[in-house]
Every structure is written in C-alpha cells, then in structure tokens.
Amino acid sequence: MLDFPRWKVWSICLTLGLAILLAIPSFVPEKTTATWPKWIPAPRINLGLDLAGGSYLLLEADTNDVTAARLDGMREQVATEMRRGTPRIEIGDISTRGGQLSFMVRDATQVDAARERLLPMTTGAGLTGQRDWDISVINTSQFVMKPTEAGLAQAVDTAMGDATEVVRRRIDELGTREPTIIRQGKDRIVVQVPGLDNPQALKDLLGKTAKLEFKLVDEAATAAVQTGQPAPVGTQVLPYAEGGAAGGRIAVQRSTIVSGEQLIDARQAFHPENGSPIVNFTFDGPGGRRFARVTQEQTGKRFAIIVDNTVISAPRINTPILGGSGYIEGSFTVQSANELGIALRSGKLPVALKVVDESTVGPDLGADSIRAGIIASAVAVAAVVAFMLVTYGRFGVYANLAVVINVAVILAMMALIGATLTLPGIAGFVLTIGTAVDANVLINERIREERRRGRNVVQAVELGYKEASRTIFEANVTHAISGVIMLLLGSGPVKGFAVVLLIGICTSVFTAVVFTRMLVALWIRKNRPADINI
C-alpha cells in the first residue's frame, strides 16, 4: 500500500494536470482562444444541435428516380453488349416505357444467343433467392426485361447508403463540426448541422444531384428542334440553366464524352480574363486522355457542359484541351460556384433527394439548456461533496478532490476526441458525477469493516482498496457493456448519452481508485497515523 514509487506519482500528477489544462479552452470564448499562439493546444467540446442551435433537414429519396436510373443503365448496357459482342446481334430501338425494358432481335435465330448475353447482366437480389431482373421473350423475338421488387429494394438500399455518404462528404466540405447524418427508414436521411443557421444554403447544396456530363452539341438537331421538329434518334434536347442563352434549349448527343465519375477535383475560381466566378475542374488520367482525344478530333465544334440534365454552357472547341483540366463558366455567383465545386468533388447523388421537413433551432434554447446543465452539475457536485465530507472526513476530502478532477478529465477527453455534447449528454454528465463517488464509498466502507475486524491502519487501507477494486471493476464493466450497446445501436441523443457515460466510466475509475489511493498512500507514509477517522 505504501509502496508508491516516485515515477508513478509524477505520472499520475502529470496526466491529471495535462487533462485539467486541456479542459480550460472549453470554458474560454472561442474568439479568445483564436488569439492564442498556435503551439498551444486549444481543443473545445462540440455542442450538438440542441445546445448550439443550427439547421435540421429531413430528406426523402425519390424511388422512381432509382427505377429510371436502372432502366437507363440497363439500356446502355444491353445496347453495348449486343453491338460489341461476337457475333453482333442487331436489335431494334430499346423502349423503357411502362417501367420495363423491351427491344426486338431482328434475326429470330439469334434469340438464344441474345438471352445468353443478357443473363450475366442480372444478379441475385441479396438473400431473397430472386434475380434483380426478370427476362422474358414474347412474339418469338421481342425481349422484355422487368426489374423485380427484390431487385428494386436492393437498388434503393444501395443508393440510400451511397447517398448518405455523399451527403456526409458535402457537409464536411462546409467545414461544420460534428454534423449528424442518419438514415431513417428505407428512403429518408436526417441531417442536423449544429451552428449552421442558414438552412437554405444547406438545401441548395444537398439539392444538387451533381451529375456532370460533357456531350457534343448536335447543331443540325438544335436548328431542327427550334423549328418545331422532333429530335432525331441518338440526340436529346436539354434546357439551359437559368440566366443562360435565351431560348433555352439545345440538342446534344446522347453519348457522353466524359462524366463526373472521372473527376478528381473541382473548385471555385475566377476567370483569368474577366474575373467572373468559374469552377475549375481536373479529370483523372483516363478521363483527361479521352477529353483530349475528343477535343482534338472535334475542333471547331461545340460541346455542352451539363449538370443535372441542365446545360451550364456550350463553348466551341477552338483548340484541343490537353492536360485533363479546364473550367466551367456560367451565370455563377461566388457562392453558387463554390456550392457547385463542392457538389462535384463530393460525387453525384445516386438518387435525387427532396426536403420534406426543415427547421432552424435557435441558440437560445441551447443557452437555456447549458445554463440548466451547469446549475444541475453544480448542485450535484455540492451535494456529493457535502455528503462525503460529513460521512468520511479526510477520506471524503480525497473522494471530493477526485470528483472535481474527474469533471475536468471528462471535459478534456470529450474535447480531445471531438465528441459532441448534447442535451442527453448533459444528463449523462450529471449522472456520472453522482455515481463517481460510488467507488470511494465502496472502498471506504470496506476500510471501515477491516478496522472493525481489528486490523491496523495500513492493513485496513490495503485490504479495503484491494477487495473493493474487484467489485468496482466488475460493476463498471457491466455499465460499459450497456454503454457500448447504446453507442453501437443507438442514434442521435442515445449516442450522445452513451459517449459521456463511457468516458465517465473510464475517468471515474482512474480518479476514484488510482488517484485517491495515491493520496492516501502519501498521507499514511508521511504521518504514520495510529488510527483514522472514517
């Protein structure tokens, strides 16, 4: 018990002293810590939406968009496979009407060969035992491919998982701290961004699918469309963005030169000649080489830069664009160009998302909650301190000192790992304070019992800590298991509570057992008391 080496004492004191220093920035205004020298660490506790205020959005996916995207993808895949396979299989126009894909094989003797090429394009839908597409042949040579319910459900689930990650990347690009992004049900995403009081900016950013495409302009088809004629096969008519060319529509080839999947960077910049906001972009190696080759072959023609099926601009290719980079110009403001750059480099959303609910939480509610939490914490600490002093005397002083230091260590740990303090987190914080002295109550009662059995001071204290430590460890393990389960399976407020609880368990065991034992050992070694008041 009395064998407490000097290195151990210094290690404990330095650890706790460092934790107290790291907890201080959380109590200092942010504008003050911003003036501190850079070499001084100033971690701060992140406040959740319910404490700091911010924006809340509930996004819902359009599952019809997933169905349409699957049909378009399968149409391209079928056309390519039939055209490039050996032997080539001639097919008629592919229709996507009625939520299914249909086309006719011109030579009926190739129906079996066509089916053999289609089968590898379908896969199993999870563990359902179904395929993601049904393939049937009607009228001896007409194929009908229809997405199954299981296949559609799997596609929606995959798209929502990808969409959640894209939303997370876009919000991270805003530089906000600790946003909460959670899937809700099969087709919804909850977004909470603390500290952001402009939900419209968030909606503008997340409302973009950011599907970037570069396509060649069909000048003849554009002229025909403007005279009221339908667009020929192989072209599509797209509108200009608001504020773009008067008249509004332009015909482009359906095949894409380069798409956003081959983009590695996109950022807001300014036009080198007129200073207007633009978006600089850079393609990866294959994308850059393809873009260079097409612009070399099509010099003198126009290509359209298309975002979400809207033409941003359609410049003429005056010289080949080499190097895999360029810029998008249009009627941008600095903010809209920056939002487009963020959306493009974060990747396109696999499914369109619409806002079905939104709200802005003001900081006043959070300020009231923080004030109430501080009062509750202060009352809890005062009540615990008074009880321990009255009940255990000197040993109560050590326990109280451990509680106060424990508060600082919890704050420091939360600031270091970037944990977010929410309203349920404050409840967990107060609960942790209340239970932080449980370990010392067990130890002190055990010491009392050993003294009643006639053991001397050193033996009683040594056995008290030794026997109680096992019980303390087992009790905290069960608490930690509950906390981990809440952290893994819970969401939002439950996670906030679990984080504070887990940190509190670790820090309270250290301060209540290791720190107080050190204090008791140092006191006994120095004073050699014949009896103790406990």
Side-chain angles (χ1 to χ4, degrees):
M1 171 69 199
L2 300 181
D3 183 22
F4 228 92
R6 184 169 297 179
W7 68 266
K8 202 170 186 179
V9 174
W10 277 105
S11 299
I12 294 172
C13 292
L14 287 175
T15 300
L16 297 180
L18 181 62
I20 292 171
L21 291 176
L22 292 175
I24 291 175
S26 295
F27 297 97
V28 179
E30 195 164 0
K31 60 182 180 183
T32 302
T33 57
T35 62
W36 291 1
K38 297 296 182 186
W39 57 269
I40 298 179
R44 301 181 64 85
I45 294 179
N46 299 321
L47 299 180
L49 186 72
D50 48 1
L51 297 179
S55 297
Y56 165 90
L57 294 180
L58 178 60
L59 307 172
E60 186 175 80
D62 184 356
T63 54
N64 292 328
D65 195 46
V66 178
T67 304
R70 294 189 76 214
L71 287 171
D72 287 340
M74 183 58 79
R75 179 176 59 187
E76 294 293 329
Q77 199 174 349
V78 168
T80 302
E81 189 64 27
M82 296 301 169
R83 185 175 61 250
R84 293 183 178 176
T86 305
R88 178 179 178 129
I89 297 177
E90 297 292 342
I91 62 174
D93 291 340
I94 303 176
S95 169
T96 57
R97 287 192 294 271
Q100 61 184 20
L101 203 71
S102 63
F103 61 93
M104 180 172 289
V105 176
R106 297 190 188 282
D107 184 354
T109 62
Q110 291 183 307
V111 168
D112 290 339
R115 178 187 285 276
E116 290 300 319
R117 292 187 191 180
L118 292 178
L119 284 176
M121 299 181 197
T122 67
T123 59
L127 301 177
T128 62
Q130 299 181 42
R131 307 292 293 181
D132 56 349
W133 290 80
D134 282 334
I135 304 175
S136 58
V137 181
I138 60 175
N139 299 329
T140 68
S141 62
Q142 184 175 7
F143 278 86
V144 175
M145 298 182 68
K146 189 173 184 179
T148 63
E149 289 294 327
L152 181 59
Q154 185 183 31
V156 170
D157 184 65
T158 302
M160 289 302 297
D162 294 342
T164 304
E165 287 306 311
V166 172
V167 168
R168 190 185 309 281
R169 287 200 296 271
R170 290 186 183 183
I171 293 178
D172 287 345
E173 289 279 353
L174 288 176
T176 57
R177 303 177 72 183
E178 290 295 315
T180 301
I181 302 156
I182 307 170
R183 277 188 63 180
Q184 185 181 75
K186 65 177 183 180
D187 59 355
R188 290 186 169 187
I189 300 173
V190 174
V191 176
Q192 297 178 348
V193 185
L196 185 66
D197 57 359
N198 184 7
Q200 186 59 46
L202 192 60
K203 287 165 58 181
D204 291 343
L205 178 61
L206 301 182
K208 290 185 176 67
T209 303
K211 181 182 178 183
L212 175 67
E213 298 169 292
F214 290 76
K215 296 184 176 182
L216 289 174
V217 174
D218 190 330
E219 303 277 11
T222 300
V225 168
Q226 289 175 347
T227 60
Q229 298 179 35
V233 176
T235 65
Q236 61 183 139
V237 180
L238 298 176
Y240 268 103
E242 184 179 356
R249 300 202 306 163
I250 188 170
V252 299
Q253 295 182 2
R254 284 192 177 276
S255 58
T256 302
I257 303 173
V258 187
S259 67
E261 280 78 4
Q262 293 161 308
L263 207 65
I264 58 175
D265 194 22
R267 295 183 184 278
Q268 183 268 325
F270 293 97
H271 196 286
E273 296 178 359
N274 56 32
S276 61
I278 59 174
V279 179
N280 279 338
F281 61 84
T282 304
F283 288 121
D284 59 13
R289 287 191 290 273
R290 177 168 173 74
F291 195 62
R293 187 176 67 252
V294 171
T295 54
Q296 282 177 322
E297 295 170 351
Q298 305 294 335
T299 301
K301 297 182 180 179
R302 297 169 65 196
F303 69 95
I305 303 172
I306 305 162
V307 177
D308 295 347
N309 289 324
T310 299
V311 177
I312 302 298
S313 62
R316 193 169 300 281
I317 306 172
N318 296 320
T319 57
I321 302 174
L322 309 176
S325 62
Y327 60 82
I328 303 171
E329 59 179 335
S331 301
F332 292 126
T333 62
V334 172
Q335 181 178 351
S336 62
N338 187 50
E339 288 174 355
L340 179 59
I342 291 174
L344 291 178
R345 66 175 179 265
S346 301
K348 74 169 185 177
L349 283 170
V351 59
L353 299 172
K354 62 180 179 181
V355 178
V356 295
D357 189 17
E358 64 174 286
S359 62
T360 302
V361 180
D364 294 340
L365 176 62
D368 292 341
S369 301
I370 293 173
R371 193 179 306 112
I374 291 174
I375 293 173
S377 300
V379 171
V381 170
V384 168
V385 166
F387 174 80
M388 295 300 289
L389 277 176
V390 172
T391 307
Y392 298 111
R394 172 181 289 277
F395 284 74
V397 173
Y398 295 151
N400 290 334
L401 193 56
V403 169
V404 175
I405 292 178
N406 182 45
V407 171
V409 176
I410 292 175
L411 295 175
M413 289 292 295
M414 292 185 68
L416 277 179
I417 67 174
T420 300
L421 182 63
T422 60
L423 204 53
I426 289 181
F429 197 85
V430 176
L431 177 64
T432 301
I433 294 173
T435 58
V437 296
D438 280 358
N440 288 113
V441 171
L442 286 172
I443 293 169
N444 294 341
E445 289 299 325
R446 188 72 188 187
I447 293 173
R448 275 182 176 176
E449 188 177 331
E450 296 299 331
R451 286 290 293 159
R452 283 196 292 268
R453 290 177 178 174
R455 300 189 188 278
N456 62 39
V457 171
V458 174
Q459 289 175 333
V461 172
E462 184 171 5
L463 285 173
Y465 271 94
K466 182 179 179 182
E467 297 299 326
S469 295
R470 188 182 302 115
T471 305
I472 294 166
F473 178 75
E474 291 171 354
N476 281 283
V477 166
T478 57
H479 287 169
I481 291 173
S482 303
V484 169
I485 292 174
M486 284 192 290
L487 185 65
L488 294 178
L489 303 182
S491 63
V494 177
K495 278 192 173 183
F497 179 85
V499 168
V500 177
L501 181 66
L502 288 172
I503 294 175
I505 288 172
C506 298
T507 58
S508 64
V509 169
F510 181 77
T511 55
V513 178
V514 179
F515 177 64
T516 60
R517 183 177 180 181
M518 180 192 74
L519 296 179
V520 172
L522 293 178
W523 175 68
I524 292 178
R525 191 164 62 188
K526 180 179 180 181
N527 297 281
R528 301 287 179 180
D531 194 8
I532 54 177
N533 180 21
I534 188 171

